[in-house]
Amino acid sequence: MKRVFVTSSVLTLCAASTALSQDVPVNPLREAYFGNLHVHTAWSFDANINGAISGPDEAYRWARGEAIPGGGGGPDLKILRPLDWYSVGDHAEYLGALPLMADPESPVSKHPLAAAISGDDATASFAAYTEILDGISNRRNDPILGDPVLLASVWEKIIDIADQHYKPGEFTTFAGFEWTSNPGWRNLHRVVIFRDTENVSDHAFSAIESDREEDLWAWMDLQRVQGAELLAVPHNGNASDGLMFPIGTSYGGSDIDSAYAETRMRNEPLYELTQIKGTSEVHPSISPNDEFANFELWDYTLESTASPPEHKVGGYMREALIRGMALEAEGKGNPFKYGFIGDSDTHNAASTIEENNYTGKFGFENNPEHRLEGPPGVSEAAAQQVREFSSGGLAGVWAESNTREAIFDAMVRKETFATSGVRMRVRMFGGYDYAEDMMESADWLQAAYDGGVPMGGDLAAAPEGTAPTFLIAAMKEADGANLDRIQVIKGWVENGEQKEQIYDVALSGGRTDGSEPVGNTVDVADASYTNDIGAADLTAAWTDPDFDPAVPAVYYARVLQIPTPRWSTYDAKALGVDVPDGLPTSIQERAWTSPIWYAPE
Amino acid sequence: MTARTILSSPLLHFFVLGGLVFAIYGLVNDSPTVADPEAITLQPAEAGQLVARFTATWDRPPTEVELEGLMRAWALEEAQYREAVALGLDQDDSVIRMRLSQKMEFISEAGAATLEADDAVLQAHLEAHAERFAEPTKLAFEQVLLPADAGDADAMRRALEQGADPATLSRGSLLPTRLPLSAETAIDRLFGGGFARTISELAGSGWSGPVQSTYGHHLVRVIELRPAVLPPLEAIRPKVEQDWRSTRAREMREEFGKALLERYDVTLPSAGEILAK
């Protein structure tokens, strides 16, 4: 376990960064940089309890390709292909305090729960975990774990470690934390990151200070007044029981009006669409006509009883995107105008996004048996939750360079996309006078920027008699699986009613009818697939055939891969057992672009 | 002498070992510091900390009503805290064992934080772990993605040699037609494994190819090839020092564990016999 904190010369490092930034390659047409900002290490209370042994320093080493200790009695963790950027976001609640329980110099070691937490007795650990989580949920601060001086010093160390690993142009890091509000086990969590480390808060705002999102935003606004630039990314609406995208009144008691919408959008431009605890783009019960809606769902609240949430509406992004436009039409502003990213939520320092290199969410899953049959000491219901974990997603960011500033600014303008973990790339632009054949030329990107808006943007009012054209290009991950199709998902509001329609705009293999599936080459017993089907890249210049200039609409693209083995299929092969009942043997990994919005004046 | 310096002396570890274990054990198991459970008193200084905490968060002091609320919450916390101690969750021996073992682990590597290294040590570390510090081979190049049927690659190459703009010849894709100086690994992540190595052999030969990537066939012109280099120590001293220190921490932990075991006559049964039972 890493407990040695090195306060290196920050001044020296800053000077080195400045010198380096002059050599940073810049592409004005932007490159896709892949990374994660939702990464927990042994410094998060729940990660520590559940077997993580690697801290923030090891997390960054992992993202750059080094092997790090994986805990759980399992092997070291090593990514197959390194990431472009990474940001540790440990829970602000008792930040870093649990590893200090083992530090005799620290007052935390005198905590009555320290013994249970540091132990390898699963039952005692779970009991302690529940007790601490319960304290957080009920906003009781623990006097030792939550000591403000301690938290501030751990926060400083987290910032130092992020600085030590930042290499402009090659590898970007951010200072960040997670605000972990879960009233009644309903997930309202947000990860917060800062644009730079020169202007950051003096501590990480925790849900113990307040579990109302309005108070988090007020605190963020205060940091802005003091010179910081920061943003929050909410996640796991699927586990919020409808609280994430509230209807009528927020959990914090606000009316959903234009003031609420403005504050929310000023603070959180992006939503995390997919991660280990499932995908919250869409639920089949809300969008029954979406044949691809049933993808890596995780239909639980955070309650230890493994109960499904009663309210699906208010927990899934697509419905909220469209409802936001309805609210705007009523003059209440649009509080759900989100761009998309995918992310991890690993609690073991390594985001393990690679399906064939999945090592689980918690340290105790660092063993294929514990992933398929359940970690020792947990109930069958909890074991099923572990089997249903997804391998986690990735955030793709179209930025001019691999630097903090460029990546953060791309997030603010929502020029981002989510993937279910694969490194496929996708771009979308919307405009009114794009030529049908312009994507055939290699310089189409400049023309696309000049004549319209990239994903995350707003289309201006349509010129008389025209409909918007969307340019969409997708490329498979290098050395990855081929693509099945590109879809455009359109949502709009008609006479107060929320509507959605899915268009297949590019199909591989010469198909003209999207109801014809791409096929499936997965050999389950061998946990393998072939690229005999699908396409390496797909493009579409698609004009909305049903466009009504008087009706507000939102458009985003979804790109599907051909089927490939799910992580559980790889594990079953490694163990020589059958894939457990109820799990899909193959999945269609995918990417989602941030939306483009059309609103008539 | 500070606690850190004491802890950094490996020799002292052995002398204090026994005593420390019992001292920590005492802290865990007895609760002599818990005051009369009937009395909960918030000292003015501690109340001041509540005010400071609130002020740090909200950039203003709390109002009287807010402070009264904070203090009431503090009293409730204190009562709950004492009850938690009284519950005796710390009495489970197997867990305490594990916790004390972790404390020992911490002590064994705590000294690394204060270690100083001279240039010779760091230079040796740099050379021993060159792969961690080397700047990788980097390439800058232009590329044209040929049509799916490969087209007339020779004609296209001639046009490029005569100064045609690659952007007007390449088929549309998300691949950049011109890539600035980038590491081989970054190029492979974009074009597929082995691509950087293949095109690095084309440096100096103008427009070349077709070269195959995971997406199709390309004509390529390498603009610059910068071979891998190990930077001198003075250019990356903080990085080397940090890496050396964390390596030392790991080594100290392992050495300590080994030395610790040597102090005991360890007898373990045969694994085969146990499993056979």
Side-chain angles (χ1 to χ4, degrees):
Chain A
M1 192 182 296
K2 173 114 179 109
R3 285 185 217 95
V4 179
F5 306 124
V6 183
T7 1
S8 64
S9 164
V10 174
L11 276 177
T12 319
L13 284 168
C14 289
S17 302
T18 314
L20 279 169
S21 64
Q22 293 160 0
D23 300 329
V24 170
V26 172
N27 178 353
L29 293 177
R30 297 165 184 157
E31 293 293 332
Y33 297 107
F34 287 103
N36 284 122
L37 55 76
H38 189 175
V39 174
H40 297 280
T41 75
W43 292 19
S44 281
F45 69 97
D46 51 349
N48 188 275
I49 290 164
N50 291 325
I53 58 172
S54 284
D57 178 62
E58 286 89 348
Y60 289 120
R61 289 171 186 275
W62 176 86
R64 298 216 62 186
E66 276 187 46
I68 64 165
D76 283 357
L77 311 178
K78 189 174 189 304
I79 193 169
L80 300 177
R81 281 182 293 278
L83 293 172
D84 300 311
W85 58 272
Y86 210 53
S87 176
V88 168
D90 276 313
H91 291 293
E93 297 73 22
Y94 311 141
L95 186 61
L98 292 199
L100 296 176
M101 282 183 169
D103 177 356
E105 279 190 274
S106 163
V108 177
S109 66
K110 298 174 182 65
H111 191 277
L113 290 176
I117 282 157
S118 303
D120 60 354
D121 179 327
T123 319
S125 276
F126 265 97
Y129 167 69
T130 307
E131 183 156 337
I132 289 185
L133 200 61
D134 190 54
I136 292 170
S137 305
N138 292 297
R139 298 183 52 203
R140 286 194 307 268
N141 193 19
D142 184 291
I144 295 178
L145 295 184
D147 176 63
V149 178
L150 172 76
L151 294 190
S153 73
V154 173
W155 174 232
E156 249 173 62
K157 281 160 193 153
I158 284 174
I159 297 166
D160 274 355
I161 293 170
D163 279 341
Q164 283 160 16
H165 289 276
Y166 178 35
K167 206 168 175 197
E170 282 182 37
F171 184 71
T172 294
T173 63
F174 294 97
F177 64 86
E178 178 169 354
W179 173 80
T180 320
S181 160
N182 29 252
W185 308 104
R186 294 167 298 177
N187 185 101
L188 290 179
H189 303 179
R190 267 96 172 156
V191 178
V192 176
I193 62 164
F194 290 82
R195 187 172 185 265
D196 60 70
T197 54
E198 281 160 45
N199 301 291
V200 289
S201 59
D202 61 357
H203 74 286
F205 188 78
S206 84
I208 294 164
E209 289 170 80
S210 172
D211 67 350
R212 300 169 68 246
E213 66 250 40
E214 293 87 342
D215 288 336
L216 171 70
W217 301 331
W219 180 84
M220 290 173 69
D221 280 339
L222 190 63
Q223 304 313 308
R224 266 185 215 106
V225 169
Q226 294 168 353
E229 286 189 62
L230 69 174
L231 59 84
V233 185
H235 62 85
N236 281 120
N238 57 325
S240 76
D241 196 25
L243 282 192
M244 179 56 79
F245 308 111
I247 298 164
T249 310
S250 74
Y251 162 71
S254 304
D255 291 335
I256 309 302
D257 56 16
S258 54
Y260 177 89
E262 220 172 273
T263 311
R264 186 165 174 142
M265 288 297 96
R266 179 170 65 245
N267 286 290
E268 38 193 61
L270 302 177
Y271 179 69
E272 186 190 302
L273 205 57
T274 184
Q275 61 129 279
I276 292 177
K277 288 202 307 293
T279 300
S280 45
E281 178 207 3
V282 61
H283 191 277
S285 71
I286 306 175
S287 299
N289 296 328
D290 183 349
E291 61 178 308
F292 298 106
N294 190 15
F295 176 74
E296 294 294 273
L297 300 176
W298 198 81
D299 199 17
Y300 303 99
T301 64
L302 302 180
E303 204 156 10
S304 58
T305 52
S307 328
E310 192 187 329
H311 305 99
K312 312 291 190 224
V313 175
Y316 288 83
M317 187 70 252
R318 186 190 297 168
E319 183 280 328
L321 271 183
I322 306 170
R323 180 151 46 88
M325 288 190 304
L327 287 165
E328 193 163 36
E330 293 168 30
K332 293 177 175 170
N334 183 347
F336 309 129
K337 204 174 168 188
Y338 282 105
F340 302 155
I341 59 167
D343 221 301
S344 168
D345 198 16
T346 174
H347 279 59
N348 200 18
S351 60
T352 70
I353 44 170
E354 293 158 330
E355 213 71 30
N356 58 348
N357 185 28
Y358 180 64
T359 46
K361 172 181 167 124
F362 291 111
F364 58 36
E365 289 165 54
N366 188 21
N367 172 330
E369 259 176 88
H370 294 172
R371 294 192 288 271
L372 284 194
E373 285 156 31
V378 308
S379 66
E380 173 49 30
Q384 181 62 20
Q385 286 183 306
V386 168
R387 284 192 283 273
E388 291 178 18
F389 281 155
S390 167
S391 68
L394 264 180
V397 179
W398 290 103
E400 289 86 354
S401 64
N402 189 354
T403 59
R404 283 177 175 163
E405 296 74 20
I407 290 175
F408 186 94
D409 294 350
M411 289 177 177
V412 169
R413 66 172 184 269
K414 307 171 193 173
E415 198 170 348
T416 60
F417 57 104
T419 88
S420 57
V422 290
R423 273 167 263 194
M424 78 162 77
R425 283 169 293 147
V426 57
R427 294 189 101 153
M428 177 164 84
F429 295 86
Y432 293 106
D433 47 22
Y434 287 142
E436 285 287 321
D437 62 349
M438 63 184 279
M439 296 175 83
E440 286 164 25
S441 164
D443 56 1
W444 70 277
L445 282 171
Q446 187 62 56
Y449 274 113
D450 292 345
V453 295
M455 54 212 201
D458 291 289
L459 278 169
E464 188 69 32
T466 58
T469 295
F470 296 92
L471 306 177
I472 307 155
M475 282 197 120
K476 70 162 191 163
E477 172 171 355
D479 303 322
N482 278 344
L483 307 179
D484 164 13
R485 69 184 68 202
I486 301 177
Q487 302 182 305
V488 169
I489 288 142
K490 177 188 178 185
W492 72 99
V493 181
E494 203 172 283
N495 304 322
E497 205 185 323
Q498 293 178 219
K499 303 267 198 180
E500 64 178 71
Q501 175 80 44
I502 300 175
Y503 301 89
D504 290 306
V505 301
L507 294 163
S508 65
R511 286 170 296 159
T512 52
D513 180 358
S515 66
E516 189 186 334
V518 69
N520 190 336
T521 67
V522 171
D523 178 335
V524 176
D526 189 46
S528 63
Y529 71 94
T530 67
N531 266 339
D532 299 337
I533 55 172
D537 60 345
L538 291 171
T539 57
W542 176 80
T543 303
D544 181 1
D546 307 308
F547 183 66
D548 180 344
V551 174
V554 60
Y555 302 85
Y556 65 92
R558 185 169 68 181
V559 187
L560 303 186
Q561 251 189 7
I562 62 168
T564 50
R566 190 178 188 267
W567 66 261
S568 37
T569 304
Y570 288 105
D571 273 356
K573 186 203 170 192
L575 293 172
V577 299
D578 289 338
V579 173
D581 284 344
L583 291 183
T585 53
S586 64
I587 54 172
Q588 283 194 271
E589 304 252 23
R590 58 199 64 196
W592 302 260
T593 69
S594 285
I596 291 176
W597 288 266
Y598 168 75
E601 293 303 314
Chain B
M1 203 180 212
T2 66
R4 269 269 146 80
T5 344
I6 295 169
L7 288 172
S8 68
S9 155
L11 188 65
L12 207 61
H13 286 159
F14 295 97
F15 291 110
V16 299
L17 200 60
L20 199 62
V21 168
F22 288 109
I24 294 164
Y25 193 77
L27 281 175
V28 174
N29 275 291
D30 305 326
S31 312
T33 50
V34 177
D36 177 0
E38 298 304 315
I40 287 182
T41 310
L42 180 63
Q43 301 298 337
E46 290 174 282
Q49 284 171 8
L50 293 179
V51 173
R53 172 70 165 157
F54 185 97
T55 310
T57 303
W58 298 111
D59 209 25
R60 64 169 176 85
T63 63
E64 265 185 40
V65 175
E66 284 168 334
L67 182 56
E68 279 161 9
L70 289 173
M71 293 193 294
R72 268 196 308 276
W74 176 88
L76 179 60
E77 278 170 14
E78 181 64 19
Q80 285 166 331
Y81 173 64
R82 291 183 195 183
E83 291 302 318
V85 174
L87 272 174
L89 286 160
D90 47 351
Q91 300 301 310
D92 187 326
D93 280 1
S94 70
V95 167
I96 289 168
R97 245 174 86 100
M98 181 64 184
R99 175 167 175 254
L100 293 179
S101 148
Q102 279 188 315
K103 283 183 188 232
M104 287 300 109
E105 226 174 68
F106 174 80
I107 291 168
S108 67
E109 63 175 50
T114 54
L115 286 179
E116 294 292 334
D118 58 26
D119 282 355
V121 169
L122 293 184
Q123 182 65 38
H125 185 76
L126 173 64
E127 284 162 21
H129 302 283
E131 77 288 351
R132 290 185 201 165
F133 306 106
E135 288 289 328
T137 301
K138 290 182 176 179
L139 286 158
F141 65 94
E142 292 180 291
Q143 65 84 23
V144 165
L145 179 59
L146 297 172
D149 61 6
D152 189 347
D154 287 336
M156 216 175 268
R157 190 172 50 235
R158 280 194 296 278
L160 287 164
E161 277 162 359
Q162 283 155 23
D165 180 358
T168 61
L169 292 178
S170 185
R171 122 173 119 86
S173 86
L174 289 180
L175 294 171
T177 47
R178 188 189 176 98
L179 207 72
L181 211 55
S182 309
E184 279 188 324
T185 46
I187 294 167
D188 283 357
R189 265 182 272 156
L190 212 47
F191 289 85
F195 192 78
R197 190 54 53 87
T198 305
I199 66 166
S200 67
E201 284 160 19
L202 304 174
S205 7
W207 280 101
S208 317
V211 176
Q212 191 165 4
S213 80
T214 182
Y215 301 109
H217 293 87
H218 309 253
L219 297 179
V220 175
R221 184 176 78 87
V222 176
I223 301 165
E224 187 182 347
L225 170 67
R226 192 180 289 178
V229 61
L230 187 61
L233 177 62
E234 61 267 25
I236 51 167
R237 200 177 196 285
K239 189 175 181 227
V240 178
E241 190 169 353
Q242 188 218 344
D243 193 81
W244 170 80
R245 193 171 281 119
S246 62
T247 307
R248 277 298 290 146
R250 274 193 291 273
E251 288 168 1
M252 285 168 74
R253 191 173 62 206
E254 282 160 24
E255 286 163 15
F256 184 68
K258 203 165 156 249
L260 204 55
L261 277 179
E262 278 168 9
R263 297 176 68 241
Y264 294 87
D265 189 8
V266 179
T267 310
L268 303 171
S270 139
E273 280 174 27
I274 297 291
L275 289 174
K277 277 180 189 169

